[in-house]
Each structure stands twice: as C-alpha cells, then as structure tokens.
Amino acid sequence: QVQLVESGGGLVQPGGSLRLSCVASGFTFQYYAISWFRQAPGKEREKVVCISSSDGSIYYVDSVKGRFTISRDNAKNTVYLQMNSLKPEDTAVYYCARSPGRYCSRGPDVWGKGTLVTVSA
C-alpha cells in the first residue's frame, strides 16, 4: 500500500521550533517529489514547500522562507520539515504529499493524514 505518515506535531510557544517527519512506504521514494501542505481552520489548504526527487530543487511559500527548512533522507524514506521561529499563524494541520513524478510542478496524488501544529502562548 502506498502510504505517507506524518509525525512531530504538537503545541509550541511563539518563537519555538518543531521538526515534522513524513515516512513513506509502498513506493520507490527516491523517484518522487514530496510536498508539505497545511490547512488552518476555516482556510483553504496551502502548499508550504516542495522538494524534488533528484536535482534538489526546493520551493517555499513566501510566508515561511527563512524559517522553515525541508530535507529528505532517501535511505530512510523520510522527508523532514524543520520549523523555526514559529508564529500563531502557522497553526494548522500539516500534511505531506507525493507528487506523481520527480518534480514539483504537478499536483499531489498521495496524501498523509496530517499532524496538528498549534502555536500559542
């Protein structure tokens, strides 16, 4: 079964940090681009960042540039999202998602179930 499982969410104070993980199974992980999306209550789902499978290209939404860092470890079938200097507006359910190929230009075809990040004092 093709599957993505997120972990690492939780409650943090503004200015704090979290590292999210997404573990993939059921497919050849190294051949696929992986994205992180988020959805806050009452808002549309937003693409946060994507990392390609081979050339290392990374695309961040402007609101997280300089604060979030995506990386992948193909040997562990895992992609990470390091989240620093967190703000209340970062509060959302965070999802990892697979693009149907090596690059970030196509919409996802596989989604995880999400992990909740809450940024509050």
Side-chain angles (χ1 to χ4, degrees):
Q1 181 181 352
V2 174
Q3 188 171 264
L4 299 171
V5 179
E6 305 96 332
S7 63
L11 175 64
V12 297
Q13 296 183 15
S17 297
L18 284 174
R19 189 179 75 158
L20 307 183
S21 298
C22 173
V23 179
S25 60
F27 64 97
T28 306
F29 178 76
Q30 66 183 13
Y31 294 153
Y32 291 89
I34 302 293
S35 297
W36 287 96
F37 287 74
R38 65 186 181 185
Q39 188 166 26
K43 296 185 178 180
E44 295 183 353
R45 189 168 295 181
E46 174 188 39
K47 189 174 185 177
V48 178
V49 63
C50 181
I51 184 167
S52 66
S53 67
S54 58
D55 68 1
S57 297
I58 298 171
Y59 307 90
Y60 294 96
V61 68
D62 286 345
S63 61
V64 309
K65 287 180 178 177
R67 300 189 298 119
F68 291 9
T69 303
I70 192 171
S71 61
R72 65 190 297 161
D73 186 340
N74 289 335
K76 296 181 178 180
N77 290 347
T78 301
V79 63
Y80 305 96
L81 184 65
Q82 179 66 47
M83 308 165 65
N84 298 327
S85 301
L86 284 162
K87 303 175 180 180
E89 51 263 46
D90 295 318
T91 296
V93 177
Y94 283 72
Y95 302 87
C96 63
R98 187 188 79 170
S99 295
R102 294 182 180 272
Y103 308 108
C104 296
S105 57
R106 298 179 65 187
D109 62 354
V110 179
W111 295 81
K113 294 182 179 179
T115 185
L116 177 62
V117 173
T118 302
V119 185
S120 177

